[in-house]
Amino acid sequence: MTDFFNFQYIPNIGLKPAEMLAMKELPNSTLDRMLPVFCLKPWANSKHLVSSVDRINMSVGERPWIADIARKIKEPKTERPVHDELRQLLDPRDGYSNWVEFVRELPNAIPCIQLGNDRELEGQCESLANIGRGIVLRISESVHISNLPRLIRILNIRPDVSKLVIFDLGYLKPRQYETRAIELVRYVNCVLDELGDRVPIVISNTSFPMQFVDGINETDILDRMIFNEVSKNTGYQRLIYGDWGSSRDLPGGGNGEKIPPRIDYPTQEKWIYVKDTEGDYQTAATSLIRDSGYWDEDLKIWASQMIKSTRLNGNAIHNARMCTAVRINMHLHLQTFYNEGDARFDTDDEWVDI
């Protein structure tokens, strides 16, 4: 049975190459403290869902992870067996029996309750609880919040099973901050009214910027700010921070235009970025380290070493995908050790200083 209180950070990690690389390169001490959520979907051009599971296991090892099913999947140009496999997992018949049996065969996966069919909820919840790893209620944008009291009561049909509630409300724009904070306080209080203080609650959003201007710039991490606001206004000590790892896996994707060189450098409270339309990744890395005032020479993880190497030879970060992997790697590490003093410097990696 999973003790959800053991984890400091519960990020939603997308199944894209940059995110998987970022996870794979995290220190073991960081991975041990986080519990990632993976919404299953096809891995690259794979034919079967097992490829996605193999990739997840490659990134987290033998550690536990939360399993859900992605709802927003780009329409494939060519239908593959993996798409039919996903449809079968979403089949609500017999209490989502396909989903229950699929998760049962994944020894490290903690199941999310599928919310597509109200009549099958109780049976599904009972079956998932019987797997013995705990159960997760993940409320996303697509779930009508008026159903929340009923969902919480169904979640509580097995008081002997460890539970986790995740409010994962997607992209957060700055102008939505106050409204979203008020909503989340109400949702948290609803859980407390039904379950008391026995269940940890995750607050998860994504707010990484959509647009970037030239030069050295900074922007607040709204995900962390709204979490702190909800924590203050509910007084609930068992809130757990979550986000999308500084990614934003939104429908539509890019517009196909070339992305100008940029180096992103998260801190625990801000995203720093250096964009150099007229230069390259090496000049951006140089400007970040030399001129931004944020560079921390004591932080020796894969991401910081990649930025230093880029400053020296220009080869480590050479495209937008690698820039993204570096940012996600550093963001995940720093948020895992948020409010833990200098623990973020005490990694198990051995580095030869560059």
Side-chain angles (χ1 to χ4, degrees):
M1 188 72 67
T2 306
D3 185 353
F4 294 111
F5 292 117
N6 286 338
F7 299 99
Q8 283 75 36
Y9 181 29
I10 300 184
N12 182 354
I13 306 296
L15 284 172
K16 290 184 177 179
E19 291 162 290
M20 293 294 95
L21 175 59
M23 287 287 295
K24 180 176 175 291
E25 296 294 343
L26 284 170
N28 287 323
S29 56
T30 308
L31 287 168
D32 290 342
R33 290 166 174 251
M34 71 164 60
L35 180 63
V37 180
F38 292 100
C39 294
L40 295 169
K41 60 182 179 179
W43 165 254
N45 295 317
S46 61
K47 292 184 178 180
H48 296 282
L49 202 52
V50 67
S51 298
S52 301
V53 174
D54 288 344
R55 190 65 190 178
I56 291 170
N57 290 334
M58 188 184 301
S59 70
V60 301
E62 298 296 318
R63 298 173 181 86
W65 52 279
I66 295 172
D68 203 353
I69 307 172
R71 298 300 196 279
K72 298 177 182 178
I73 299 176
K74 190 176 181 180
E75 194 68 28
K77 293 181 180 179
T78 303
E79 186 82 5
R80 305 192 302 276
V82 64
H83 299 106
D84 188 52
E85 292 171 1
L86 285 166
R87 282 191 287 269
Q88 290 180 34
L89 294 183
L90 289 169
D91 186 340
R93 286 177 292 186
D94 300 322
Y96 285 84
S97 59
N98 292 338
W99 171 240
V100 173
E101 294 310 311
F102 177 83
V103 175
R104 192 190 305 275
E105 296 302 314
L106 304 178
N108 300 317
I110 304 165
C112 283
I113 301 169
Q114 300 307 310
L115 302 176
N117 188 302
D118 288 350
R119 290 177 298 179
E120 301 292 342
L121 276 175
E122 290 193 30
Q124 179 196 180
C125 189
E126 185 73 30
S127 297
L128 291 175
N130 287 336
I131 294 176
R133 300 177 202 143
I135 48 179
V136 177
L137 175 63
R138 180 170 168 265
I139 306 293
S140 64
E141 300 168 276
S142 60
V143 178
H144 202 283
I145 207 66
S146 62
N147 291 330
L148 183 58
R150 177 173 176 265
L151 293 174
I152 296 299
R153 286 192 289 272
I154 290 173
L155 183 69
N156 203 33
I157 64 174
R158 285 288 298 271
D160 58 314
V161 174
S162 59
K163 307 171 187 69
L164 179 71
V165 176
I166 301 176
F167 291 107
D168 188 346
L169 302 186
Y171 197 74
L172 173 63
K173 299 177 182 178
R175 59 182 173 80
Q176 296 174 313
Y177 178 88
E178 290 186 11
T179 303
R180 180 75 60 86
I182 293 170
E183 290 174 345
L184 284 166
V185 168
R186 190 166 72 248
Y187 302 161
V188 169
N189 286 332
C190 179
V191 177
L192 296 180
D193 289 342
E194 296 289 341
L195 299 177
D197 62 356
R198 295 173 287 119
V199 175
I201 302 171
V202 178
I203 304 297
S204 183
N205 302 273
T206 178
S207 63
F208 190 70
M210 294 283 195
Q211 297 179 327
F212 306 89
V213 297
D214 275 359
I216 301 172
N217 298 274
E218 65 179 60
T219 183
D220 292 329
I221 299 179
L222 295 180
D223 315 319
R224 176 56 76 175
M225 289 176 59
I226 206 166
F227 174 85
N228 292 343
E229 183 79 7
V230 174
S231 180
K232 179 182 72 174
N233 285 292
T234 61
Y236 190 45
Q237 300 299 310
R238 295 186 170 182
L239 291 182
I240 301 176
Y241 176 70
D243 59 27
W244 289 24
S246 82
S247 70
R248 34 177 167 72
D249 189 11
L250 304 175
N255 55 16
E257 296 181 0
K258 184 178 179 181
I259 301 175
R262 194 183 78 240
I263 298 290
D264 301 325
Y265 189 70
T267 69
Q268 292 190 326
E269 305 281 354
K270 294 179 180 292
W271 284 304
I272 315 303
Y273 69 88
V274 181
K275 180 181 173 184
D276 194 344
T277 302
E278 302 301 323
D280 54 23
Y281 288 99
Q282 187 170 24
T283 57
T286 300
S287 182
L288 169 69
I289 293 173
R290 186 187 62 199
D291 304 325
S292 72
Y294 281 99
W295 180 256
D296 191 339
E297 191 65 33
D298 294 328
L299 184 63
K300 299 187 187 304
I301 58 174
W302 176 77
S304 56
Q305 295 297 302
M306 291 291 286
I307 295 172
K308 289 179 72 174
S309 181
T310 301
R311 180 190 184 186
L312 290 175
N313 57 45
N315 294 328
I317 302 173
H318 56 275
N319 57 32
R321 178 181 294 179
M322 187 60 71
C323 169
T324 300
V326 166
R327 179 189 75 238
I328 292 173
N329 178 266
M330 182 166 288
H331 178 81
L332 292 173
H333 177 75
L334 292 176
Q335 294 305 320
T336 300
F337 288 95
Y338 187 87
N339 267 352
E340 294 199 33
D342 292 338
R344 65 187 182 279
F345 301 121
D346 186 19
T347 67
D348 45 23
D349 293 337
E350 295 182 5
W351 296 106
V352 176
D353 201 18
I354 296 175

